[in-house]
Amino acid sequence: MKTRVIQDDAGRTRRGRAAIEIRDLTKDYGAVRAVDHLSFSVDEGTITGFLGPNGSGKTTTLRSLLGLVTPTSGTSTFAGRPYRELSHPLQEVGAVLEAAAHPGRTARNHLRMVAAEARMPLTRVDALLDLVELRAAADRRVGGFSLGMNQRLGLATALIGDPRILVLDEPANGLDPDGIRWLRDFLRALATEGRTVLLSSHVLAEVAQTVDEVVVINGGRLIVQASLDQLMTDHARKRVRVRSARPAALALALRAQGLAVTADGGDALVVDGSTPEAVGQLAFDCGIATFEIAVEPATLEQTFFALITPGQEVVR
């Protein structure tokens, strides 16, 4: 396994071991380039969020990583080896890309079949049903499962071989708020055990509470890879919230300076790309009394859309 020299958020140098490596990966489907010379690494024992809009190349990248798609060029490896060269793949890498259980099988029988393929004892099946909280539904046919129950079964399937690396595509899809919180705690517990998790997700608010690092791609190309804290420090759009006696007049003055301004209810405005000091000074120069001026913390969702649509304000 390759060792990399990296810096943590405090600027200290540490040596990180790369559990997953994508190197100059390119995949063409005829005239369409789905992945374009993409490179990034995932350190062992971390949770990395793999982010990008629909059509950005995330699924193609994950399928290439798992040997389901043959890349046009480049490599993707686990601890230095392609998936197809792993001696016992289910014991080394667990993956959830799409529903794999036959709808006519029960959850228990599905896991028993996968356990046999992974050369694991059948006692592991009941342990995993308990772990993902599906014991009560173990003997129900999978075809009657909700989307959230299928996600839990997918996680159990990925863990059947007790792998050190997990690759998960939209694991929060279909989960209710309690299920999403359960998933967050579940993944953090896995990382605490030293396992590595690479997950793609569109639930950005949850990603922000779960991952250590993020990889953002668009158009098949890498936009940024950074720790979550570093991403928010370096790329989060600065926003100032100001309450004033004359918000309409202040908004006109701010826009005259080329600033993007949106109303935030009542007497409040949100200003992009400025500082509290500059907003306060402009209000003072215009003779407008202010009641409150503060930096509004950016969210991962705001930062993500700023990265993939530079110069555009995306309202959701």
Side-chain angles (χ1 to χ4, degrees), residues 166-247:
L166 290 172
V167 178
L168 311 176
D169 190 14
E170 300 291 344
N173 188 25
L175 296 180
D176 60 18
D178 284 342
I180 290 176
R181 181 173 59 181
W182 169 85
L183 177 64
R184 179 202 317 150
D185 295 341
F186 185 81
L187 295 179
R188 291 274 19 136
L190 293 177
T192 299
E193 295 173 359
R195 301 181 201 257
T196 304
V197 180
L198 174 63
L199 68 95
S200 74
S201 180
H202 287 105
V203 188
L204 299 184
E206 188 54 37
V207 168
Q209 298 184 67
T210 305
V211 306
D212 306 300
E213 201 164 273
V214 292
V215 174
V216 180
I217 70 170
N218 196 16
R221 297 181 179 182
L222 180 69
I223 302 300
V224 66
Q225 177 175 12
S227 72
L228 184 62
D229 288 344
Q230 197 63 49
L231 180 83
M232 300 307 291
T233 298
D234 292 349
H235 298 282
R237 181 175 293 174
K238 303 299 186 294
R239 296 160 63 94
V240 177
R241 188 174 189 274
V242 54
R243 292 176 54 236
S244 73
R246 295 160 54 203

Side-chain angles (χ1 to χ4, degrees), residues 1-304:
M1 185 177 289
K2 187 176 178 180
T3 301
R4 299 188 295 144
V5 177
I6 55 180
Q7 282 194 328
D8 63 18
D9 294 334
R12 297 178 296 242
T13 298
R14 61 185 178 86
R15 302 191 71 81
R17 293 167 63 86
I20 299 172
E21 288 196 276
I22 305 291
R23 285 287 169 263
D24 202 30
L25 188 70
T26 298
K27 177 59 181 177
D28 296 329
Y29 293 100
V32 177
R33 176 153 291 183
V35 181
D36 190 4
H37 298 286
L38 179 64
S39 296
F40 66 88
S41 297
V42 177
D43 290 338
E44 79 176 334
T46 63
I47 303 176
T48 297
F50 189 33
L51 311 180
N54 288 334
S56 63
K58 299 192 307 300
T59 298
T60 298
T61 299
L62 296 182
R63 291 177 67 84
S64 296
L65 180 61
L66 294 166
L68 300 173
V69 165
T70 301
T72 303
S73 61
T75 61
S76 53
T77 57
F78 296 98
R81 293 171 297 165
Y83 185 84
R84 292 186 175 121
E85 295 181 10
L86 300 180
S87 301
H88 302 289
L90 296 182
Q91 296 181 22
E92 298 178 65
V93 179
V96 178
L97 292 191
E98 55 193 27
H102 190 285
R105 290 196 182 98
T106 66
R108 191 190 306 277
N109 285 340
H110 166 72
L111 291 176
R112 282 176 173 171
M113 181 188 68
V114 180
E117 184 180 354
R119 303 177 185 177
M120 299 298 288
L122 292 182
T123 53
R124 179 119 179 105
V125 170
D126 285 338
L128 284 171
L129 287 168
D130 286 334
L131 185 65
V132 301
E133 301 178 9
L134 277 181
R135 175 65 79 101
D139 296 313
R140 288 175 50 187
R141 295 185 188 277
V142 174
F145 276 14
S146 67
L147 184 55
M149 293 170 69
N150 269 303
Q151 292 287 53
R152 290 174 185 255
L153 181 59
L155 285 170
T157 304
L159 288 165
I160 199 77
D162 199 22
R164 303 299 295 172
I165 301 172
L166 290 172
V167 178
L168 311 176
D169 190 14
E170 300 291 344
N173 188 25
L175 296 180
D176 60 18
D178 284 342
I180 290 176
R181 181 173 59 181
W182 169 85
L183 177 64
R184 179 202 317 150
D185 295 341
F186 185 81
L187 295 179
R188 291 274 19 136
L190 293 177
T192 299
E193 295 173 359
R195 301 181 201 257
T196 304
V197 180
L198 174 63
L199 68 95
S200 74
S201 180
H202 287 105
V203 188
L204 299 184
E206 188 54 37
V207 168
Q209 298 184 67
T210 305
V211 306
D212 306 300
E213 201 164 273
V214 292
V215 174
V216 180
I217 70 170
N218 196 16
R221 297 181 179 182
L222 180 69
I223 302 300
V224 66
Q225 177 175 12
S227 72
L228 184 62
D229 288 344
Q230 197 63 49
L231 180 83
M232 300 307 291
T233 298
D234 292 349
H235 298 282
R237 181 175 293 174
K238 303 299 186 294
R239 296 160 63 94
V240 177
R241 188 174 189 274
V242 54
R243 292 176 54 236
S244 73
R246 295 160 54 203
L250 181 56
L252 286 174
L254 290 164
R255 290 183 179 121
Q257 298 297 312
L259 297 169
V261 182
T262 55
D264 194 30
D267 58 2
L269 303 171
V270 175
V271 186
D272 283 337
S274 190
T275 65
E277 294 79 8
V279 171
Q281 184 63 57
L282 181 61
F284 177 81
D285 292 343
C286 295
I288 300 172
T290 57
F291 310 136
E292 177 187 15
I293 304 178
V295 174
E296 184 178 76
T299 67
L300 177 60
E301 183 178 79
Q302 291 164 346
T303 304
F304 170 76

